[in-house]
Amino acid sequence: MNFALKLYQQDKKVNQTLFLYIIYCLSLLLIRAKITQSVYLFFLIWNLFLAFVPYVMSSYFQSLDAKNNSKLKRYALLIIWLLFIPNSFYIITDLVHLGNSDGIIFWLDLIIISSYALIGFGLGLLSLTHFETTLKTIISKKYASITLFFISFLCGFGIYVGRILRYNTWDIISNPFDLIVDLFTAATSKTSLFFSIQFGIFIYFAFLIKKNITSK
């Protein structure tokens, strides 16, 4: 509990806004369930949870004292963060589920999915900001920018693996062999590379816009 409170206080204003927005998103799903008598789209709650994981990790990573924490611990956290960060941006692809909606519910579903996509994407950008702050203490600003673009590309590739190949982060443990084979195939596919580059550039420019706006 103390750990959660410490991270919450670390950036209280932002976390308060995120908390209120989560309440709004959950309320939308409850309203939809009441209207339709269906829990369809409740999977967005799980996707939102996964989007929060890298944000919490990067917040924690940012609070670490490099002198009092081993390099092994910091590198392990970084690897886990890299595995989870694509989940934040993945939610935007849930817009494909609008194909199952029609009539007045279509517009409600558009608002619901867009709301979850917005907070998920926002968490991803905040997490990238945390990472950049830490990165600049290790390498130059130029190399930090290159690294962030590369990570954005990896996020795009992660979205491809999740949306097109239908793998999730947990398959690294539960289904590693098939995942490795398909990852190798995807890494040599023009289709997957084009998909990854599209989303990677999109994520990187969104990050730059957020960075330039907040720096004023």
Side-chain angles (χ1 to χ4, degrees), residues 115-134:
S115 296
Y116 279 82
L118 178 61
I119 190 172
F121 210 90
L123 287 167
L125 295 180
L126 288 170
S127 193
L128 286 179
T129 302
H130 291 166
F131 178 75
E132 182 188 39
T133 301
T134 304

Side-chain angles (χ1 to χ4, degrees), residues 104-151:
I104 192 64
I105 292 300
F106 171 86
W107 301 106
L108 177 59
D109 288 352
L110 175 62
I111 293 296
I112 292 174
I113 298 176
S114 296
S115 296
Y116 279 82
L118 178 61
I119 190 172
F121 210 90
L123 287 167
L125 295 180
L126 288 170
S127 193
L128 286 179
T129 302
H130 291 166
F131 178 75
E132 182 188 39
T133 301
T134 304
L135 198 61
K136 284 182 177 179
T137 64
I138 305 172
I139 60 178
S140 67
K141 183 178 179 181
K142 176 183 177 181
Y143 288 113
S145 297
I146 295 173
T147 302
L148 283 166
F149 178 77
F150 181 67
I151 290 176

Side-chain angles (χ1 to χ4, degrees), residues 16 33 42 61 64 72 84 87-88 106 118 124 135-136 154 163 167 172 181 183 193 200 212:
Q16 281 179 338
F42 269 47
F61 195 87
L64 288 178
L72 180 61
F84 275 93
N87 290 315
S88 297
F106 171 86
L118 178 61
L135 198 61
K136 284 182 177 179
L154 288 179
R163 175 54 63 191
Y167 285 104
I172 296 170
V181 171
L183 284 178
L193 291 177
N212 289 329

Side-chain angles (χ1 to χ4, degrees), residues 68-84:
N68 298 324
N69 290 272
S70 67
K71 287 185 177 181
L72 180 61
K73 177 181 179 180
R74 287 183 285 130
Y75 287 148
L77 286 171
L78 177 59
I79 291 172
I80 297 172
W81 177 81
L82 283 171
L83 293 174
F84 275 93

